[in-house]
Amino acid sequence: SPVRTKATMGGDGASGDTDGTLAEYPGTALTRMENAVQRASSLTEAQLSGDWEDVRGKLLWAAGLRDIRDARPGDGYTGHCFNDFNHVDATTMTLDVSDNENRGAVQGIAFGNR
């Protein structure tokens, strides 16, 4: 299927995609999300019950990420992913919204990764 990526203006139909997910969550990379859900669903209870570093590697894989610890935060570093109280989910977003910053919209969340 073609890569479905965005409806950054919300559910106005401008993107030609009528998927409710895009209307409710503009900027969602649907193909990435569907692939991540499929990979995560393939993981077994046994695979998710082992040593944390092994489990974390599988979660990164499911999310479509690599374990990159030798890059600076904001430049590809993923050592924090699934490793603290704040980085506990995987959000599949389109490139055009990936640099959006909080700017105080969510109390207690940092503005950026630098």
Side-chain angles (χ1 to χ4, degrees), residues 16-112:
D17 194 327
T18 58
D19 191 299
T21 301
L22 290 178
E24 189 169 356
Y25 304 104
T28 301
L30 283 180
T31 301
R32 279 189 61 210
M33 180 185 71
E34 291 162 347
N35 291 337
V37 167
Q38 183 177 17
R39 287 188 298 265
S41 297
S42 75
L43 296 173
T44 66
E45 184 175 346
Q47 289 174 308
L48 296 172
S49 299
D51 175 74
W52 172 243
E53 285 303 315
D54 293 337
V55 171
R56 185 177 162 276
K58 288 174 179 44
L59 293 174
L60 288 168
W61 166 79
L65 300 171
R66 293 176 292 155
D67 193 5
I68 302 172
R69 296 176 185 235
D70 59 350
R72 291 176 2 143
D75 288 332
Y77 176 76
T78 59
H80 60 297
C81 299
F82 306 113
N83 249 349
D84 64 24
F85 75 96
N86 193 39
H87 299 94
V88 295
D89 62 4
T91 304
T92 59
M93 62 184 75
T94 58
L95 190 57
D96 64 320
V97 298
S98 64
D99 285 331
N100 287 358
E101 294 183 343
N102 170 43
R103 296 291 176 212
V106 179
Q107 186 73 17
I109 300 294
F111 284 3

